[in-house]
Amino acid sequence: MTRPSVLFVCVHNAGRSQMAAGWLRHLAGDAVEVRSAGSMPGDRINPAAVEAMAEAGIDITDQRPRVLTTDAVEASDVVVTMGCGDACPVFPGKRYLDWALDDPAGQGVEAVRPIRDEVERRVRGLLAELEVPAPARD
């Protein structure tokens, strides 16, 4: 089986999609190709998202918001949208998942922690669907 690729998309590519990409990289290693993008990317990653992920032992400080491109969608097997609505391009033959998650924008780390944990739960579920083993939860 070829290595699956997953694209996480939200509006600003600064919180939810970055946390999801961080979890997927952390849990799957090189077994999955990971991308993230935003329909209207912000200028930096949400500091509360960075802090919440650091608490889980995952460093996303080197990531930058990226603009969503049709190439990124076409190159991905699974596209996970998180509140980007009609701005997310839809291509035939792609698998789409829409994860309804609270937006961490403007929230403190206390509000972001439950979003982080829900993102982890969903990423683990996605890995199970892709039949990619993930390490057990601590």
Side-chain angles (χ1 to χ4, degrees), residues 20-31:
W23 274 118
L24 188 55
R25 281 187 203 97
H26 178 74
L27 295 170
D30 293 336

mmCIF file with all atom_site columns, all heavy atoms in Angstrom, residues 20-31:
data_model
loop_
_atom_site.group_PDB
_atom_site.id
_atom_site.type_symbol
_atom_site.label_atom_id
_atom_site.label_alt_id
_atom_site.label_comp_id
_atom_site.label_asym_id
_atom_site.label_entity_id
_atom_site.label_seq_id
_atom_site.pdbx_PDB_ins_code
_atom_site.Cartn_x
_atom_site.Cartn_y
_atom_site.Cartn_z
_atom_site.occupancy
_atom_site.B_iso_or_equiv
_atom_site.pdbx_formal_charge
_atom_site.auth_seq_id
_atom_site.auth_comp_id
_atom_site.auth_asym_id
_atom_site.auth_atom_id
_atom_site.pdbx_PDB_model_num
ATOM 1  N N   . ALA A 1 20 ? -4.093 19.336 14.379 1.00 0.00 ? 20 ALA A N   1
ATOM 2  C CA  . ALA A 1 20 ? -4.357 18.034 13.761 1.00 0.00 ? 20 ALA A CA  1
ATOM 3  C C   . ALA A 1 20 ? -3.126 17.521 13.020 1.00 0.00 ? 20 ALA A C   1
ATOM 4  O O   . ALA A 1 20 ? -2.757 16.351 13.140 1.00 0.00 ? 20 ALA A O   1
ATOM 5  C CB  . ALA A 1 20 ? -5.552 18.136 12.815 1.00 0.00 ? 20 ALA A CB  1
ATOM 6  N N   . ALA A 1 21 ? -2.472 18.404 12.270 1.00 0.00 ? 21 ALA A N   1
ATOM 7  C CA  . ALA A 1 21 ? -1.259 18.002 11.554 1.00 0.00 ? 21 ALA A CA  1
ATOM 8  C C   . ALA A 1 21 ? -0.166 17.598 12.544 1.00 0.00 ? 21 ALA A C   1
ATOM 9  O O   . ALA A 1 21 ? 0.545  16.613 12.333 1.00 0.00 ? 21 ALA A O   1
ATOM 10 C CB  . ALA A 1 21 ? -0.781 19.134 10.646 1.00 0.00 ? 21 ALA A CB  1
ATOM 11 N N   . GLY A 1 22 ? -0.052 18.339 13.639 1.00 0.00 ? 22 GLY A N   1
ATOM 12 C CA  . GLY A 1 22 ? 0.935  18.003 14.665 1.00 0.00 ? 22 GLY A CA  1
ATOM 13 C C   . GLY A 1 22 ? 0.674  16.639 15.277 1.00 0.00 ? 22 GLY A C   1
ATOM 14 O O   . GLY A 1 22 ? 1.595  15.835 15.444 1.00 0.00 ? 22 GLY A O   1
ATOM 15 N N   . TRP A 1 23 ? -0.591 16.365 15.600 1.00 0.00 ? 23 TRP A N   1
ATOM 16 C CA  . TRP A 1 23 ? -0.936 15.047 16.148 1.00 0.00 ? 23 TRP A CA  1
ATOM 17 C C   . TRP A 1 23 ? -0.640 13.944 15.147 1.00 0.00 ? 23 TRP A C   1
ATOM 18 O O   . TRP A 1 23 ? -0.089 12.904 15.504 1.00 0.00 ? 23 TRP A O   1
ATOM 19 C CB  . TRP A 1 23 ? -2.416 14.993 16.543 1.00 0.00 ? 23 TRP A CB  1
ATOM 20 C CG  . TRP A 1 23 ? -2.698 15.508 17.912 1.00 0.00 ? 23 TRP A CG  1
ATOM 21 C CD1 . TRP A 1 23 ? -3.482 16.581 18.241 1.00 0.00 ? 23 TRP A CD1 1
ATOM 22 C CD2 . TRP A 1 23 ? -2.223 14.983 19.159 1.00 0.00 ? 23 TRP A CD2 1
ATOM 23 N NE1 . TRP A 1 23 ? -3.495 16.749 19.607 1.00 0.00 ? 23 TRP A NE1 1
ATOM 24 C CE2 . TRP A 1 23 ? -2.739 15.782 20.191 1.00 0.00 ? 23 TRP A CE2 1
ATOM 25 C CE3 . TRP A 1 23 ? -1.393 13.909 19.495 1.00 0.00 ? 23 TRP A CE3 1
ATOM 26 C CZ2 . TRP A 1 23 ? -2.466 15.538 21.547 1.00 0.00 ? 23 TRP A CZ2 1
ATOM 27 C CZ3 . TRP A 1 23 ? -1.118 13.675 20.833 1.00 0.00 ? 23 TRP A CZ3 1
ATOM 28 C CH2 . TRP A 1 23 ? -1.656 14.478 21.844 1.00 0.00 ? 23 TRP A CH2 1
ATOM 29 N N   . LEU A 1 24 ? -1.021 14.164 13.875 1.00 0.00 ? 24 LEU A N   1
ATOM 30 C CA  . LEU A 1 24 ? -0.822 13.106 12.881 1.00 0.00 ? 24 LEU A CA  1
ATOM 31 C C   . LEU A 1 24 ? 0.666  12.825 12.674 1.00 0.00 ? 24 LEU A C   1
ATOM 32 O O   . LEU A 1 24 ? 1.078  11.672 12.624 1.00 0.00 ? 24 LEU A O   1
ATOM 33 C CB  . LEU A 1 24 ? -1.517 13.469 11.570 1.00 0.00 ? 24 LEU A CB  1
ATOM 34 C CG  . LEU A 1 24 ? -1.540 12.369 10.519 1.00 0.00 ? 24 LEU A CG  1
ATOM 35 C CD1 . LEU A 1 24 ? -2.162 11.078 11.051 1.00 0.00 ? 24 LEU A CD1 1
ATOM 36 C CD2 . LEU A 1 24 ? -2.284 12.837 9.274  1.00 0.00 ? 24 LEU A CD2 1
ATOM 37 N N   . ARG A 1 25 ? 1.473  13.876 12.583 1.00 0.00 ? 25 ARG A N   1
ATOM 38 C CA  . ARG A 1 25 ? 2.928  13.671 12.447 1.00 0.00 ? 25 ARG A CA  1
ATOM 39 C C   . ARG A 1 25 ? 3.472  12.917 13.660 1.00 0.00 ? 25 ARG A C   1
ATOM 40 O O   . ARG A 1 25 ? 4.292  12.014 13.524 1.00 0.00 ? 25 ARG A O   1
ATOM 41 C CB  . ARG A 1 25 ? 3.652  15.013 12.327 1.00 0.00 ? 25 ARG A CB  1
ATOM 42 C CG  . ARG A 1 25 ? 3.584  15.637 10.982 1.00 0.00 ? 25 ARG A CG  1
ATOM 43 C CD  . ARG A 1 25 ? 4.468  16.893 10.905 1.00 0.00 ? 25 ARG A CD  1
ATOM 44 N NE  . ARG A 1 25 ? 3.991  17.738 9.842  1.00 0.00 ? 25 ARG A NE  1
ATOM 45 C CZ  . ARG A 1 25 ? 3.177  18.781 10.004 1.00 0.00 ? 25 ARG A CZ  1
ATOM 46 N NH1 . ARG A 1 25 ? 2.776  19.142 11.198 1.00 0.00 ? 25 ARG A NH1 1
ATOM 47 N NH2 . ARG A 1 25 ? 2.776  19.469 8.967  1.00 0.00 ? 25 ARG A NH2 1
ATOM 48 N N   . HIS A 1 26 ? 3.023  13.308 14.850 1.00 0.00 ? 26 HIS A N   1
ATOM 49 C CA  . HIS A 1 26 ? 3.502  12.702 16.093 1.00 0.00 ? 26 HIS A CA  1
ATOM 50 C C   . HIS A 1 26 ? 3.112  11.225 16.177 1.00 0.00 ? 26 HIS A C   1
ATOM 51 O O   . HIS A 1 26 ? 3.927  10.386 16.551 1.00 0.00 ? 26 HIS A O   1
ATOM 52 C CB  . HIS A 1 26 ? 2.919  13.482 17.275 1.00 0.00 ? 26 HIS A CB  1
ATOM 53 C CG  . HIS A 1 26 ? 3.282  12.932 18.612 1.00 0.00 ? 26 HIS A CG  1
ATOM 54 N ND1 . HIS A 1 26 ? 4.547  13.074 19.152 1.00 0.00 ? 26 HIS A ND1 1
ATOM 55 C CD2 . HIS A 1 26 ? 2.556  12.229 19.522 1.00 0.00 ? 26 HIS A CD2 1
ATOM 56 C CE1 . HIS A 1 26 ? 4.571  12.485 20.344 1.00 0.00 ? 26 HIS A CE1 1
ATOM 57 N NE2 . HIS A 1 26 ? 3.388  11.969 20.585 1.00 0.00 ? 26 HIS A NE2 1
ATOM 58 N N   . LEU A 1 27 ? 1.875  10.915 15.833 1.00 0.00 ? 27 LEU A N   1
ATOM 59 C CA  . LEU A 1 27 ? 1.362  9.552  16.011 1.00 0.00 ? 27 LEU A CA  1
ATOM 60 C C   . LEU A 1 27 ? 1.734  8.612  14.865 1.00 0.00 ? 27 LEU A C   1
ATOM 61 O O   . LEU A 1 27 ? 1.921  7.420  15.084 1.00 0.00 ? 27 LEU A O   1
ATOM 62 C CB  . LEU A 1 27 ? -0.161 9.581  16.181 1.00 0.00 ? 27 LEU A CB  1
ATOM 63 C CG  . LEU A 1 27 ? -0.664 10.281 17.443 1.00 0.00 ? 27 LEU A CG  1
ATOM 64 C CD1 . LEU A 1 27 ? -2.177 10.450 17.376 1.00 0.00 ? 27 LEU A CD1 1
ATOM 65 C CD2 . LEU A 1 27 ? -0.249 9.513  18.686 1.00 0.00 ? 27 LEU A CD2 1
ATOM 66 N N   . ALA A 1 28 ? 1.824  9.134  13.644 1.00 0.00 ? 28 ALA A N   1
ATOM 67 C CA  . ALA A 1 28 ? 2.049  8.271  12.484 1.00 0.00 ? 28 ALA A CA  1
ATOM 68 C C   . ALA A 1 28 ? 3.487  8.280  11.991 1.00 0.00 ? 28 ALA A C   1
ATOM 69 O O   . ALA A 1 28 ? 3.868  7.407  11.211 1.00 0.00 ? 28 ALA A O   1
ATOM 70 C CB  . ALA A 1 28 ? 1.112  8.681  11.339 1.00 0.00 ? 28 ALA A CB  1
ATOM 71 N N   . GLY A 1 29 ? 4.263  9.250  12.429 1.00 0.00 ? 29 GLY A N   1
ATOM 72 C CA  . GLY A 1 29 ? 5.640  9.333  11.930 1.00 0.00 ? 29 GLY A CA  1
ATOM 73 C C   . GLY A 1 29 ? 5.645  9.509  10.419 1.00 0.00 ? 29 GLY A C   1
ATOM 74 O O   . GLY A 1 29 ? 4.901  10.316 9.873  1.00 0.00 ? 29 GLY A O   1
ATOM 75 N N   . ASP A 1 30 ? 6.460  8.704  9.741  1.00 0.00 ? 30 ASP A N   1
ATOM 76 C CA  . ASP A 1 30 ? 6.563  8.796  8.282  1.00 0.00 ? 30 ASP A CA  1
ATOM 77 C C   . ASP A 1 30 ? 5.527  7.945  7.554  1.00 0.00 ? 30 ASP A C   1
ATOM 78 O O   . ASP A 1 30 ? 5.555  7.865  6.325  1.00 0.00 ? 30 ASP A O   1
ATOM 79 C CB  . ASP A 1 30 ? 7.960  8.370  7.828  1.00 0.00 ? 30 ASP A CB  1
ATOM 80 C CG  . ASP A 1 30 ? 9.032  9.345  8.290  1.00 0.00 ? 30 ASP A CG  1
ATOM 81 O OD1 . ASP A 1 30 ? 8.699  10.515 8.537  1.00 0.00 ? 30 ASP A OD1 1
ATOM 82 O OD2 . ASP A 1 30 ? 10.207 8.921  8.409  1.00 0.00 ? 30 ASP A OD2 1
ATOM 83 N N   . ALA A 1 31 ? 4.614  7.292  8.286  1.00 0.00 ? 31 ALA A N   1
ATOM 84 C CA  . ALA A 1 31 ? 3.648  6.390  7.656  1.00 0.00 ? 31 ALA A CA  1
ATOM 85 C C   . ALA A 1 31 ? 2.564  7.136  6.888  1.00 0.00 ? 31 ALA A C   1
ATOM 86 O O   . ALA A 1 31 ? 1.892  6.555  6.044  1.00 0.00 ? 31 ALA A O   1
ATOM 87 C CB  . ALA A 1 31 ? 3.006  5.483  8.712  1.00 0.00 ? 31 ALA A CB  1
#
